Structures are given as structure tokens and as C-alpha cells.
Amino acid sequence: STEYYGGTPDSSTPASLLTDPSGNIISWALVRSTDIHGNRIDYSYAVQRDNGRSSSRETGKNRYPTRITYNGQGAQAGTSSIDFIRDRDLGESRRSDVRIDYSAGFKMVTADLLRRIEVRYRGTMVRHYDLSYNTAAFHQTVLTGITEFGSDGSELAGHEFNYHELPSGDFS
């Protein structure tokens, strides 16, 4: 199989590149995978800029997947897709535990939560999954449930996640 990162031989994909403020590429994301039979999968991304905190004047960024398109063949894009919808896309309030990380040499901000996954065939939604979150120990956001819905919006299945809290007491 052949995999392309940051673009294909005929085009670059800017959202698949994560760069520092000087334009140096920090990472390349997978944009296409083609097997030996010519079957292809394409990956799309969005680079989101965010200050992380309202008091910060420095803008950071991060890359989020937006879509995977599959069942493609050769030069033809696939007929099936998976869309990733974040809380920001839905106009929801931002997570309380925004992550700020400088380990790549610049400010990376993870401020968005994946809220919904939509599976489509030829543009028609055949399934979607809603993800729910809660605040756990140390004010950290944790995934608490995934609910699967059919093409008609009926609930098909659900799964809940539970986390163990730390025992109360003085651990000093």
C-alpha cells in the first residue's frame, strides 16, 4: 500500500500540516492511503486556532480530523464518509479543561471535544454516534457515553463508561 502525508504528488493539503509560528513543519498527517488494488481512503483535517485562555494574548493551534472518505478507487474519491463534529461546530460551550502544551516548541491548544460522528453513503446519513462527557477527578473531562442512532434517528445502542474516583482523605 501507499500512504501520503501532508499531501499527494499532485497537491498539498495545508490543513494536514501542523507548523510552528515560523512556518516550520512540526507534523504531517495522513491524507491518503491506497492499497495494491487501487482502493483508496482520504483523510481531511481542520487547523483550529485558539488562545486557550481568555487572558492569553498568544494564539495556539491544533489539528483535528474532519472527515474520512473511503471506498474510493484510483483517481475517484470514495462514496462513503465519516464526519467528525466537534463541540465548537455545534456552538456548544467550550470544555473547562482546555489543554495547553508547548512540547512541540510552540503553543498547541486542545480546546475541542468530539461530540458526534456521522457515517454517510453517497451523502445520506446511515448512522450517527453521539458522545457525552462529564467532569471527573481533578476537573478533567472524561467520555461517559456513546449512543448509536440509525438513519431514521432511532436509538440503536448505547454504552456508558464509568471511572473510579479517588478515595476521600488527606494524602499529604
Side-chain angles (χ1 to χ4, degrees):
S1 70
T2 304
E3 294 171 337
Y4 299 95
Y5 292 83
T8 60
D10 42 299
S11 69
S12 67
T13 311
S16 69
L17 303 174
L18 199 55
T19 59
D20 68 12
S22 300
N24 299 309
I25 298 172
I26 301 303
S27 70
W28 298 264
L30 180 65
V31 296
R32 181 172 296 157
S33 179
T34 307
D35 69 13
I36 59 171
H37 303 289
N39 299 307
R40 125 183 190 191
I41 304 171
D42 294 303
Y43 304 85
S44 301
Y45 305 90
V47 173
Q48 183 66 57
R49 298 184 184 289
D50 195 296
N51 286 14
R53 307 264 186 263
S54 59
S55 59
S56 176
R57 289 187 279 160
E58 179 187 9
T59 301
K61 60 183 169 180
N62 209 334
R63 176 181 50 226
Y64 295 92
T66 56
R67 173 176 281 175
I68 298 172
T69 305
Y70 59 101
N71 287 344
Q73 181 67 35
Q76 184 155 5
T79 55
S80 300
S81 65
I82 303 169
D83 293 320
F84 301 96
I85 293 99
R86 297 174 282 141
D87 51 359
R88 185 183 305 253
D89 302 324
L90 299 172
E92 296 178 353
S93 59
R94 72 191 281 122
R95 64 188 297 170
S96 60
D97 62 337
V98 172
R99 310 269 180 168
I100 298 174
D101 181 9
Y102 284 88
S103 63
F106 70 99
K107 185 177 184 179
M108 289 183 60
V109 177
T110 303
D112 295 5
L113 291 170
L114 178 62
R115 295 290 296 169
R116 186 177 182 139
I117 300 168
E118 297 177 349
V119 181
R120 299 178 183 278
Y121 176 70
R122 297 192 189 276
T124 301
M125 189 168 9
V126 295
R127 290 268 191 283
H128 78 267
Y129 302 85
D130 287 345
L131 287 74
S132 55
Y133 299 87
N134 209 340
T135 303
F138 305 106
H139 308 285
Q140 298 300 299
T141 302
V142 295
L143 178 66
T144 56
I146 300 174
T147 307
E148 178 184 14
F149 295 89
S151 60
D152 62 355
S154 63
E155 185 175 326
L156 300 177
H159 187 81
E160 291 184 7
F161 300 95
N162 294 304
Y163 301 87
H164 296 281
E165 294 288 331
L166 292 174
S168 60
D170 184 8
F171 294 99
S172 55

